[in-house]
């Protein structure tokens, strides 16, 4: 006979999944990083893209429709994500950014890293994981070497296979070679990761696997079989291929030097030909399908080894990529095409086939992985765990997200994207009316209050996260700030999907989604009163757990509190 506990929580609560009392071993992690991957995937609605394995991963877990990077360039974006910290004017500023020490860009401007805090692999290593850096995880293979048990970059991203492109000094922007999948470093790396998975099968030591795919980064080189998936005659140039956004400031432009300066078949000035543009689009898609096929091999291996149910899988892109959009190529802008990237997470015991529409940021990945793996969160994190959205895909995660590139800063809400530069340039796009960002409306009087409010949001964000590596992380002064509020003063659990707890079974609930906080501060939850069996097991995440006994049968009432650490 089952005995039930009925709960009525004062100041708000939400009942999540009931878990077993046994504590499982730590899950493995498969951390898939894909260079230059915009959401040009079938699961994101890009019908021309052939990506069945990434689509399969999305069907296994949760796809985040509106995930955005902090910096639209490789080194800085990855350092921000791996540290769980936002970029600033001094930190994570350029493509050559390192996590473990300061760097200087080509103009002599210094850029700090974050060597005094643990990055994601370091934190997992400290918590018992064996960590592998395979392929391109950081921009530099030797960044923060202490965090890794093994580092293998595998090969160079310009690994041409056609004889006419080898040893001749030529650097074409694309190549279609009649070779096997493992002739290029992408395939070689995949085979090595598969062997690491096999080695881990019978080990009690949790593994932090990584798969850092360099494609579809330029040059667009892939085996011919992936090029043959597409008919170039069926491909089209973007609808805004021939014009730059109306009234957009010059600061928002890019000369796409990465393409112009590194590849022989690209003009040093002016546009590429339409024929070349279509060839580049074809090559990009071929590289997406190549990487997709390798991801499929990794998923197949986990399934064959019966490790899927013990592995958290995350796939992310380090930034978007322009394919002729608004006359632009590559990344290096604050436009949607540079900032928007894929993010997919599959984790044991979470629902499959979910889609989250709320705004999320790559800085949120670090706390998410910690929570999914059952690790405490390090104190330096500036992101917010996505687990609540995996519990409830309709939950609002953030109302505003932030990024920057060089002297430009940007803030995005569900409708608007506002950017400003230190020289006074500004732009504002209304995505409800102009999803492709064709017209800058920052000077339109109708949008004056919107621009003013978003400019203030940037000021507040800047003051909130700006500090150098010598700052005491526990003594950061916050700016004027509104207190968090519960959606209601009391909740009866009959309103939830699981209105009762069962005697003898471990019970878990989250209360964080019942709280509104305009600034998305790091909140702390506490149990104020109530029967002893239910405890606040994670004050940062608002997670309560406990095992009721027969003496607890009936209606139980608990009082809870929430604080942002700023307001009394």
């Amino acid at each position: 006979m089952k005995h039930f506990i009925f709960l009525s929580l004062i100041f708000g609560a939400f009942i999540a999944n009931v878990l077993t009392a046994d504590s499982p071993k730590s899950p493995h992690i498969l951390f898939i990083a894909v260079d230059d991957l915009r959401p040009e995937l079938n699961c994101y609605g890009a019908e021309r893209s052939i990506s069945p394995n990434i689509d399969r991963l999305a069907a296994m877990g949760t796809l985040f429709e509106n995930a955005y990077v902090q910096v639209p360039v490789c080194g800085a974006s990855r350092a921000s994500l791996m540290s769980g910290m936002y970029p600033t004017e001094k930190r994570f500023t350029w493509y050559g950014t390192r996590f473990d020490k300061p760097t200087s860009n080509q103009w002599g401007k210094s850029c700090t890293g974050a060597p005094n805090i643990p990055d994601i692999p370091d934190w997992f290593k400290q918590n018992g994981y064996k960590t592998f850096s395979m392929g391109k995880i950081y921009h530099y293979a030797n960044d923060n070497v202490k965090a890794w048990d093994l580092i293998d970059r595998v090969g160079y991203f310009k690994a041409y296979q056609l004889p006419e492109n080898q040893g001749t000094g030529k650097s074409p922007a694309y190549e279609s070679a009649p070779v096997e999948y493992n002739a290029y470093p992408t395939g070689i790396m995949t085979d090595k990761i598969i062997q690491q998975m096999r080695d881990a099968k019978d080990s009690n030591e949790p593994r932090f696997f990584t798969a850092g795919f360099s494609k579809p980064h330029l040059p667009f080189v892939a085996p011919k079989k992936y090029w043959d998936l597409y008919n170039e005659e069926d491909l089209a140039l973007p609808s805004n291929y021939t014009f730059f956004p109306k009234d957009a400031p010059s600061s928002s432009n890019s000369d796409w030097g990465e393409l112009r300066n590194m590849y022989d078949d690209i003009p040093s000035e002016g546009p590429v030909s339409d024929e070349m543009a279509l060839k580049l689009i074809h090559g990009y898609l071929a590289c997406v399908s190549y990487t997709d096929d390798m991801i499929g091999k990794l998923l197949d291996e986990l399934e064959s080894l019966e490790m899927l149910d013990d592995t958290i899988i995350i796939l992310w892109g380090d930034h978007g990529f322009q394919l002729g959009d608004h006359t632009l190529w590559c990344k290096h802008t604050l436009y949607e095409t540079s900032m928007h990237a894929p993010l997919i997470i599959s984790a044991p015991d979470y629902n499959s086939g979910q889609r989250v529409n709320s705004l999320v940021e790559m800085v949120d990945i670090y706390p998410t992985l910690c929570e999914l793996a059952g690790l405490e969160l390090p104190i330096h994190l500036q992101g917010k765990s996505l687990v609540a959205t995996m519990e409830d895909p309709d939950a609002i995660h953030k109302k505003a997200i932030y990024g920057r590139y060089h002297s430009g800063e940007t803030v995005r809400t569900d409708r608007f994207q506002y950017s400003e530069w230190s020289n006074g340039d500004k732009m504002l796009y209304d995505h409800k009316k102009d999803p492709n960002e064709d017209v800058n409306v920052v000077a339109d009087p109708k949008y004056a209050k919107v621009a003013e409010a978003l400019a203030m949001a940037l000021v507040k964000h800047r003051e909130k996260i700006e500090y150098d590596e010598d700052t005491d992380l526990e003594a950061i002064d916050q700016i004027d700030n509104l207190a968090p509020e519960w959606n209601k003063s009391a909740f009866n659990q009959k309103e939830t999907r699981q209105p009762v707890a069962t005697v003898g079974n471990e019970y878990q609930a989250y209360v964080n989604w019942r709280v509104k906080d305009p600034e998305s501060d790091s909140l702390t939850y506490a149990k104020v009163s109530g029967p002893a069996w239910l405890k606040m097991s994670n004050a940062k995440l608002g997670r309560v757990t406990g095992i009721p006994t027969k003496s607890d049968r009936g209606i139980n009432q608990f009082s809870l509190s929430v604080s942002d650490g700023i307001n009394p």
Side-chain angles (χ1 to χ4, degrees):
M1 178 179 179
K2 289 186 176 180
H3 300 279
F4 298 105
I5 310 299
F6 298 87
L7 300 99
S8 178
L9 298 176
I10 299 174
F11 302 119
F14 170 72
I15 301 308
N17 295 326
V18 176
L19 305 177
T20 62
D22 295 331
S23 177
K25 68 176 184 179
S26 298
H28 300 299
I29 310 292
L30 175 55
F31 190 76
I32 303 173
V34 188
D35 211 341
D36 285 9
L37 184 64
R38 64 193 242 159
E40 187 82 12
L41 302 165
N42 197 267
C43 55
Y44 275 89
E47 295 182 358
R48 70 178 181 178
S49 180
I50 299 172
S51 54
N53 295 292
I54 298 177
D55 300 344
R56 169 186 168 194
L57 178 60
M60 292 165 52
T62 302
L63 180 149
F64 295 86
E65 296 271 14
N66 292 297
Y68 290 82
V69 302
Q70 267 50 69
V71 194
V73 67
C74 171
S77 176
R78 291 167 184 255
S80 173
L81 185 154
M82 296 288 280
S83 66
M85 298 169 69
Y86 287 102
T88 69
E89 185 181 5
K90 299 178 181 179
R91 181 180 65 227
F92 311 152
T93 61
W94 69 302
Y95 78 86
T97 293
R98 293 183 67 101
F99 170 87
D100 60 4
K101 63 182 180 182
T103 56
S104 295
N105 65 20
Q106 57 265 51
W107 300 284
K109 189 171 182 179
S110 62
C111 165
T112 66
N116 295 332
I117 57 99
D119 64 0
I120 294 175
D122 191 3
W123 189 246
F124 274 77
K125 187 176 182 180
Q126 291 181 37
N127 282 274
Y129 278 75
K130 188 170 184 178
T131 57
F132 300 85
S133 176
M134 298 296 295
K136 187 176 179 181
I137 301 302
Y138 276 114
H139 182 70
Y140 297 102
N142 65 349
D143 201 344
N144 204 30
V145 294
K146 67 182 178 63
W148 305 103
D149 290 296
L150 180 144
I151 299 173
D152 188 350
R153 182 54 69 93
V154 180
Y156 186 49
F157 72 101
K158 280 189 175 182
Y160 298 106
Q161 294 302 309
L162 292 175
E164 59 265 34
N165 295 331
Q166 294 179 327
T168 62
K170 292 176 60 179
S171 292
Y174 61 88
E175 176 186 87
S176 172
V179 296
E180 295 299 315
Y181 78 91
N182 54 5
Y184 288 102
T186 295
I188 296 170
M189 178 190 74
T190 301
D191 287 344
K192 288 186 175 184
I193 297 170
I194 287 173
Q195 186 58 53
Q196 291 168 358
M197 291 175 173
R198 293 172 180 170
D199 294 342
K201 169 63 178 174
D202 298 320
S203 173
N204 291 323
E205 186 179 30
R207 305 298 171 96
F208 191 95
F209 301 113
T210 65
F213 291 102
S214 64
K215 300 305 166 189
H217 191 289
L218 283 163
F220 301 142
V221 299
K224 182 176 180 295
K225 65 176 288 188
Y226 302 105
W227 285 77
D228 291 345
L229 294 174
Y230 301 90
N231 183 350
E232 197 166 299
E233 294 180 358
D234 296 333
L235 300 178
L237 298 172
S239 61
N240 52 18
Y241 176 70
T242 59
F243 65 92
F244 196 61
K246 182 180 178 182
D247 298 327
S250 60
S251 297
S252 70
N253 206 342
S254 165
D255 63 1
W256 28 286
E258 177 185 10
L259 181 60
R260 289 194 192 281
N261 300 333
M262 296 182 67
Y263 301 98
D264 304 331
D265 44 2
I266 304 299
S268 59
E269 59 183 28
V272 299
S273 67
D274 289 357
E275 180 183 8
M276 174 59 77
L278 288 170
K279 184 66 70 175
L280 292 172
I281 292 171
H282 189 175
Y284 182 91
L285 293 172
C287 286
V288 169
S289 294
Y290 180 23
T291 289
D292 176 85
D293 195 28
M294 299 304 99
I295 290 171
K297 291 181 183 294
L298 298 181
L299 297 180
D300 288 344
E301 189 64 28
L302 287 175
E303 186 172 19
S304 175
L305 294 170
E306 299 182 339
M307 291 171 63
L308 272 179
D309 291 339
D310 303 318
T311 304
I312 297 165
I313 306 172
I314 179 169
L315 179 146
W316 54 272
D318 61 350
H319 39 67
F321 196 86
Q322 277 106 206
L323 290 171
D325 311 85
H326 288 133
T327 74
L328 299 169
W329 294 90
C330 309
K331 48 269 189 184
H332 312 115
T333 77
L334 294 179
Y335 287 106
E336 170 88 2
T337 42
S338 280
M339 302 296 288
H340 191 192
L343 176 61
I344 301 171
I345 303 175
S346 173
D349 301 321
Y350 287 85
N351 289 336
S352 60
Q354 301 188 125
R355 305 180 84 88
V356 172
N357 285 307
S358 182
L359 295 170
V360 306
E361 307 174 272
M362 298 308 180
V363 76
D364 299 329
I365 287 176
Y366 194 152
T368 303
L369 288 178
C370 287
E371 183 176 0
L372 290 173
L375 308 186
E376 291 295 321
L377 273 63
I379 62 171
H380 75 271
L381 295 183
Q382 295 178 332
K384 178 182 178 182
S385 172
L386 298 166
V387 168
T389 65
M390 297 171 67
E391 294 281 0
D392 177 11
D394 295 326
I396 301 300
H397 179 67
K398 289 181 177 178
K399 293 183 179 180
I401 55 175
Y402 301 87
R404 65 175 300 124
Y405 183 57
H406 291 326
S407 66
E409 298 177 283
T410 190
V411 54
R412 181 190 170 95
T413 68
D414 61 350
R415 178 172 175 177
F416 298 103
Q417 176 106 20
Y418 172 82
S419 305
E420 62 182 34
W421 286 261
S422 60
N423 65 1
D425 281 350
K426 300 176 182 179
M427 64 183 187
L428 173 68
Y429 295 97
D430 183 346
H431 289 151
K432 184 177 181 180
K433 297 181 178 180
D434 181 22
N436 293 327
E437 300 182 332
D438 290 335
V439 181
N440 176 20
V441 296
V442 74
D444 188 330
K446 295 196 300 288
Y447 291 95
K449 289 186 177 180
V450 174
E452 181 180 358
L454 293 177
M456 182 55 65
L458 281 178
V459 171
K460 290 183 177 180
H461 173 74
R462 188 185 310 128
E463 293 177 353
K464 183 176 179 179
I465 57 99
E466 185 83 39
Y467 60 91
D468 61 30
E469 62 184 25
D470 297 319
T471 302
D472 182 353
L473 290 167
E474 298 189 57
I476 299 172
D477 291 328
Q478 302 287 343
I479 60 174
D480 291 342
N481 187 294
L482 297 176
E485 294 181 354
W486 297 100
N487 296 337
K488 296 181 181 179
S489 60
F491 296 103
N492 189 314
Q493 291 311 103
K494 291 180 180 179
E495 302 172 0
T496 70
R497 292 175 297 174
Q498 291 183 285
V500 297
T502 306
V503 167
N505 287 338
E506 186 173 9
Y507 183 80
Q508 177 174 272
Y510 286 88
V511 300
N512 50 11
W513 79 280
R514 294 286 199 180
V515 175
K516 296 178 181 177
D517 186 62
E519 290 83 10
S520 298
D521 294 316
S522 177
L523 303 179
T524 302
Y525 300 84
K527 175 184 170 184
V528 178
S529 64
W533 68 270
L534 190 70
K535 301 182 184 301
M536 184 64 68
S537 59
N538 192 314
K540 291 295 184 185
L541 302 177
R543 183 170 65 209
V544 292
T545 55
I547 303 176
T549 65
K550 290 183 179 180
S551 63
D552 296 310
R553 286 179 294 178
I555 295 176
N556 286 227
Q557 287 193 338
F558 303 86
S559 295
L560 308 173
S561 68
V562 61
S563 170
D564 59 5
I566 302 166
N567 296 280

